[in-house]
């Protein structure tokens, strides 16, 4: 995970997972991406035994670091936030070596590599609004000419970073497309703008082994904003899943199970699937608080079943 000292305990999903595992008396070992390594063909890590407290201050105690073989662990939760760069990919190679010796990795390293969080939705065209993936500014302009109001975003970001809304009247189209595509050298995604985000928000739906939590967190954009992301100032409102939401989950869930993606967060705006987040999906703490749930606990139950199986 990312540095434990920097998390916000009231909203951090990784922290909720630590608490849920600790309630089961499971020994917890904490490591960052830079702590895992290989010796010959053995996956290793420098770890710290950790204990956590559900508090705004002094929320963790960590013992002195020591080195272990990753294969000595029953399960490893990979919760490193994007960017999904070569360092991230290298980490999945190391984790895959531990997986080969019997350790359960959540989510599977090969799936983390294969299922780009923006591109993965192209596996489910029946769920999606019109979109285009390209590095060509001219192609994006043609897409915009057809759909009038579009969103353009990088394939490797998170938290609403570098997401632009464009219309043909925007005087900054050229510079935005030059910047986001690195003058035609970087591939991005363009999607038709879905106006329901303004009133209904960008719904985060969490799935455990392909089965949805019955409530979503609708992230409503702040005044004057297009992005609903909480990191971009959006506000989170809990809502029950609609029939359309459940239908989308039915389309996506079996593929998640097949790929060994035990924990995912899909984003739905209006009637459309817009992203599938599998690296470090969030919103557990917010939904738990609003609806009296224990989503991380449900995930631990599923992990335990997987280990027994």
């Amino acid at each position: 995970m990312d540095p434990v000292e920097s998390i916000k305990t009231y909203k951090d999903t990784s922290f909720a997972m630590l608490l849920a595992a600790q309630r089961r008396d499971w020994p917890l070992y904490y490591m960052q991406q830079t702590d895992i390594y290989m010796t010959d063909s053995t996956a290793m890590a420098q770890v710290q035994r950790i204990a956590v407290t559900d508090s705004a201050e002094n929320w963790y105690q960590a013992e002195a670091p020591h080195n272990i073989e990753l294969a000595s662990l029953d399960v490893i939760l990979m919760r490193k936030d994007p960017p999904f760069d070569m360092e991230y990919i290298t980490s999945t190679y190391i984790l895959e070596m531990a997986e080969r010796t019997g350790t359960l990795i959540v989510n599977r390293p090969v799936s983390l590599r294969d299922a780009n969080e923006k591109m993965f939705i192209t596996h489910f065209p029946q769920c999606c609004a019109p979109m285009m993936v390209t590095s060509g500014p001219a192609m994006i302009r043609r897409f915009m000419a057809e759909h009038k109001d579009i969103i353009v975003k990088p394939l490797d970001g998170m938290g609403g970073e570098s997401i632009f809304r464009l219309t043909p009247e925007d005087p900054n189209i050229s510079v935005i497309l030059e910047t986001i595509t690195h003058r035609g050298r970087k591939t991005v995604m363009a999607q038709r703008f879905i106006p329901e985000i303004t009133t209904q928000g960008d719904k985060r739906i969490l799935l455990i082994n392909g089965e949805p939590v019955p409530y979503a967190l609708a992230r409503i954009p702040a005044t004057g904003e297009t992005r609903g992301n909480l990191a971009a100032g959006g506000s989170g409102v809990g809502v029950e899943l609609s029939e359309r939401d459940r239908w989308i989950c039915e389309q996506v869930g079996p593929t998640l199970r097949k790929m060994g993606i035990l924990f995912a967060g899909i984003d739905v705006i209006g009637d459309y699937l817009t992203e599938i987040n599998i690296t470090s999906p969030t919103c557990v703490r917010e939904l738990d608080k609003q609806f009296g749930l224990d989503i991380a606990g449900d995930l631990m139950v599923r992990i335990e079943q997987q280990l027994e199986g």
Side-chain angles (χ1 to χ4, degrees):
M1 59 179 285
D2 289 293
V4 66
E5 65 271 14
S6 68
I7 65 174
K8 298 179 175 63
T9 58
Y10 68 92
K11 62 176 289 186
D12 193 277
T13 292
S14 297
F15 187 66
M17 293 177 178
L18 286 166
L19 290 168
Q22 183 173 267
R23 286 195 294 270
R24 285 159 173 76
D25 295 324
W26 295 357
L28 303 179
Y29 297 90
Y30 155 69
M31 67 199 87
Q32 296 184 54
Q33 190 174 30
T34 52
D35 292 325
I36 62 175
Y37 63 98
M38 292 190 66
T39 299
D40 298 323
S41 60
T42 303
M44 304 285 295
Q46 179 175 269
V47 301
Q48 292 175 273
R49 181 76 182 268
I50 193 171
V52 289
T53 304
D54 195 358
S55 170
E57 297 180 358
N58 303 318
W59 59 84
Y60 76 98
Q61 302 81 42
E63 297 179 0
H66 62 284
N67 297 311
I68 64 169
E69 292 187 21
L70 289 181
S72 67
L73 300 174
D74 294 305
V75 58
I76 298 172
L77 282 79
M78 176 52 159
R79 291 284 304 173
K80 173 70 181 70
D81 283 344
F84 191 92
D85 53 16
M86 273 308 302
E87 282 301 307
Y88 199 111
I89 291 174
T90 300
S91 295
T92 68
Y93 293 145
I94 298 172
L95 293 172
E96 200 165 32
M97 293 300 293
E99 184 181 50
R100 290 173 184 170
T101 57
T103 299
L104 174 64
I105 313 295
V106 180
N107 290 310
R108 285 199 70 197
V110 66
S111 296
L112 290 173
R113 292 196 299 271
D114 287 350
N116 175 277
E117 298 191 327
K118 308 296 190 295
M119 289 284 291
F120 195 18
I121 66 170
T122 61
H123 290 244
F124 312 98
Q126 71 275 25
C127 302
C128 301
M131 73 182 101
M132 171 177 280
V133 178
T134 179
S135 60
M139 296 186 71
I140 298 173
R141 282 180 176 273
R142 288 196 291 272
F143 182 81
M144 181 172 56
E146 178 182 358
H147 297 287
K148 308 304 179 187
D149 196 346
I150 68 171
I151 293 291
V152 183
K153 57 188 176 182
L155 299 178
D156 57 357
M158 63 167 288
E161 181 180 348
S162 298
I163 292 178
F164 295 93
R165 180 182 176 184
L166 292 178
T167 61
E169 298 78 24
D170 195 317
N172 298 304
I173 291 174
S174 294
V175 68
I176 289 172
L177 295 183
E178 288 172 7
T179 301
I180 197 169
T181 67
H182 294 193
R183 294 184 179 272
R185 297 189 301 273
K186 184 174 182 179
T187 303
V188 299
M189 175 174 280
Q191 293 172 307
R192 187 181 71 192
F193 177 70
I194 306 169
E196 286 85 352
I197 190 171
T198 305
T199 55
Q200 300 176 21
D202 180 357
K203 286 186 283 189
R204 167 60 54 84
I205 302 172
L206 298 173
L207 296 95
I208 298 174
N209 198 35
E211 294 295 329
V213 173
Y215 301 94
L217 193 72
R219 296 162 297 175
I220 311 295
T223 302
E225 259 285 359
T226 298
R227 304 167 297 171
N229 309 75
L230 301 183
S235 56
V237 179
V239 296
E240 289 191 47
L241 299 190
S242 67
E243 287 188 16
R244 175 71 177 185
D245 295 336
R246 292 184 179 277
W247 179 81
I248 291 174
C249 292
E250 289 170 0
Q251 306 303 301
V252 176
T255 299
L256 297 178
R257 283 192 291 272
K258 183 178 179 180
M259 295 178 68
I261 299 172
L262 284 186
F263 190 64
I266 68 172
D267 292 344
V268 174
I269 302 174
D271 287 337
Y272 300 106
L273 174 69
T274 60
E275 288 188 19
I276 302 175
N277 299 272
I278 66 168
T279 53
S280 55
T282 59
C283 298
V284 161
R285 295 283 269 178
E286 293 91 341
L287 287 170
D288 280 356
K289 183 177 181 180
Q290 291 191 40
F291 297 106
L293 305 175
D294 182 14
I295 298 170
D298 294 339
L299 174 62
M300 297 306 147
V301 169
R302 180 61 211 171
I303 287 172
E304 199 164 29
Q305 292 170 346
Q306 194 91 347
L307 291 171
E308 291 171 352

